[in-house]
Amino acid sequence: MVYLNDDIEHFDWQAALPLLSEQRREQCLRFKHEQGRKTCAAAYLLLCEALRKEYGIEEPPIFEYGDHGKPSLVGLPHIHFNLSHCRVAAICVVSDKPVGVDIETIRPYKETLARYAMNDDELQLINGSALEFTKLWTQKEAVVKLSGRGITTDLKSVLTSFAGEIQTTVTDNYVYSITL
């Protein structure tokens, strides 16, 4: 299931702090800027909502982390989730199978980043479009987050070697992709 908060502008992160686990509260407060604190807290609260609605879990979850930093829930290995946030939104996906998600605002196109991350076919598809770049970027991020590898692999081959399902959603303000 997908849980999304795209009203980060009005999210009261300070009021949310008591609802977070101590672990997440510390992580949230490490962000230097308020925007990072807001999105960190909002993503966690989406996970709390998902766990409550989907699994009847009322306690704030505690994370443990894999070799490359992918979080999982302590004591609940059968529940898979992934979180992401951008300047304007936070998203959480929960499933009984591994999942990956990435959400990004659509920013101006940067050719140097595109050449670093995209293969020749993808560069042709993008053709200078910020939207097309963002769609492919979120797909790549969601794939590497699914595996828990993070961006430790050759980004140019991420999508060509992926055999799973990718769902991409485009709005006026952001793009998100989910891998299953």
Side-chain angles (χ1 to χ4, degrees), residues 24-141:
R24 188 63 173 199
R25 190 169 32 255
E26 288 173 5
Q27 184 179 10
C28 180
L29 292 172
R30 281 195 290 262
F31 281 88
K32 183 177 179 179
H33 299 287
E34 181 179 54
Q35 192 66 25
R37 292 175 178 186
K38 279 184 173 188
T39 56
C40 179
Y44 183 83
L45 289 183
L46 290 173
L47 175 61
C48 291
E49 178 185 358
L51 293 174
R52 190 172 49 256
K53 287 182 177 178
E54 305 296 325
Y55 299 96
I57 298 170
E58 297 290 333
E59 294 297 313
I62 304 298
F63 299 161
E64 56 189 357
Y65 296 90
D67 292 341
H68 298 287
K70 183 172 183 172
S72 59
L73 302 173
V74 171
L76 300 168
H78 63 288
I79 300 174
H80 300 271
F81 75 97
N82 207 230
L83 306 173
S84 186
H85 46 80
C86 64
R87 204 169 18 90
V88 299
I91 192 167
C92 171
V93 179
V94 294
S95 178
D96 58 352
K97 299 177 207 162
V99 294
V101 65
D102 187 50
I103 189 166
E104 300 288 341
T105 53
I106 303 165
R107 296 185 210 142
Y109 176 74
K110 291 185 179 174
E111 187 171 345
T112 54
L113 181 58
R115 291 202 175 284
Y116 170 76
M118 305 296 167
N119 63 41
D120 290 340
D121 291 338
E122 292 164 343
L123 287 170
Q124 279 190 322
L125 178 66
I126 293 168
N127 193 27
S129 166
L131 175 59
E132 292 303 319
F133 172 82
T134 306
K135 286 166 47 177
L136 286 170
W137 181 267
T138 62
Q139 291 170 4
K140 288 175 183 257
E141 279 262 358

